[in-house]
Amino acid sequence: MVILLFFTGLWYLSLFSQTFFQHRYAAHGSFTMSKFWERFFFVFSYLTQGSSYMSPRAYAVMHRMHHAYTDTEQDPHSPQFSTNIFTMMWRTRGFYAAVVKNTKAVEPRFLKNLPEWKAFDRWAGSGLSRLLWVAAYVSFFVLFANSYWWFLLLPIVVTMGAFHGAIINWFAHKYGYINFRLRNTSKNLFVIDVLMLGESYHNNHHKNPSSVNFGTRWHEIDPVYPIIVLLKWFKIIRFTKVTP
C-alpha cells in the first residue's frame, strides 16, 4: 500500500509540474510569473520529477518545434516517423539532448521568452543527480515493498516524465476523437481525463496551444485549470494574451 500511494503521488505531482510549468508556462507562455516564483517552480519540478527532470528551456524549445512541425520529419516526436513508441522516444531523447547541449541549430522564433536557470539545470540534468534519485527510489522500494511484484513499477518511477510524454505523443496522435479538424493527427485520447490531468485533450490543445484550459466540451474537465485559476487569485501568476 505504501508503494502504491508513493507511485500515485509521484505520478500526479510529476505530471502537474510538467503540464503547469514546462508545458503551459515555459512552452506556451499561457501565463506569467515573477522571477521568484519561476525559480520556485524550477525547484518544485526537480523535486517532483526527480531522475526524469527535464530542463524547462529545452522542453519549451522542443515542444514549440512539435507544434510548428507536427507530423513532419522535423517533429521531435511524431509517430509518423517511428516504427514504435520506443523508437519515437529514443528519437525524442536525441532532440532533447541536442537542444540542451546547444548542438542543434534552433530557429530564433523558438527561443523567445524562455525560462532559464543554467546552473540549476546543469545540476538537475546531470548524470550524478539522476543516479542519486535512482538510488533513493530503489532504497524506498527495498524498505517498503512487501512483494517483489511492486518492483515492476520501479522503471516507470525512474522514467516518469518520459513515460507521461510517451502516452500523449504516441497514443494521442493515433487514437481518440477530434473536436477540430486540423492538418495533423492530434486527437483527444480520453473523454474524461483524470489520468493525464487534461493533457490527453491533445486535439483541443493543437487548436488553441496557448489556452490555459485544455478542455473545450462540457465533459472535458481539465483538473489543472482550477488550480491555475487559484494561483492567479493568489497573484502567483498572471494571465496573458501574448503568445510566444
Side-chain angles (χ1 to χ4, degrees), residues 38-49:
E38 184 178 281
R39 294 287 174 92
F40 172 88
F41 284 110
F42 261 97
V43 176
F44 180 80
S45 297
Y46 176 62
L47 294 177
T48 55
Q49 292 170 10

Side-chain angles (χ1 to χ4, degrees), residues 19-169:
T19 185
F20 171 80
F21 188 59
Q22 290 151 327
H23 190 184
R24 305 187 204 210
Y25 173 71
H28 293 296
S30 301
F31 44 84
T32 62
M33 64 180 72
S34 68
K35 182 60 68 175
F36 168 83
W37 285 112
E38 184 178 281
R39 294 287 174 92
F40 172 88
F41 284 110
F42 261 97
V43 176
F44 180 80
S45 297
Y46 176 62
L47 294 177
T48 55
Q49 292 170 10
S51 57
S52 64
Y53 171 83
M54 295 168 286
S55 160
R57 179 187 182 278
Y59 180 102
V61 169
M62 195 167 64
H63 189 70
R64 292 175 185 183
M65 291 174 67
H66 168 64
H67 277 271
Y69 304 131
T70 310
D71 294 335
T72 70
E73 283 193 89
Q74 292 176 286
D75 187 341
H77 41 71
S78 172
Q80 303 297 309
F81 294 92
S82 299
T83 55
N84 57 62
I85 192 170
F86 301 104
T87 57
M88 183 194 74
M89 292 310 295
W90 188 256
R91 186 167 181 265
T92 303
R93 179 185 178 277
F95 266 88
Y96 176 82
V99 174
V100 168
K101 297 175 182 177
N102 293 314
T103 58
K104 180 177 181 59
V106 176
E107 294 179 48
R109 60 176 171 147
F110 300 134
L111 299 173
K112 296 179 179 178
N113 304 319
L114 293 172
E116 288 196 70
W117 192 357
K118 293 180 181 179
F120 185 83
D121 267 351
R122 276 196 300 271
W123 161 251
S126 69
L128 177 58
S129 172
R130 297 190 193 282
L131 187 61
L132 290 172
W133 276 109
V134 172
Y137 296 147
V138 171
S139 299
F140 186 87
F141 272 69
V142 169
L143 285 172
F144 294 103
N146 54 14
S147 168
Y148 287 113
W149 288 105
W150 288 114
F151 281 85
L152 293 174
L153 295 176
L154 188 56
I156 301 176
V157 168
V158 171
T159 61
M160 187 73 79
F163 195 85
H164 289 150
I167 292 174
I168 300 303
N169 295 324

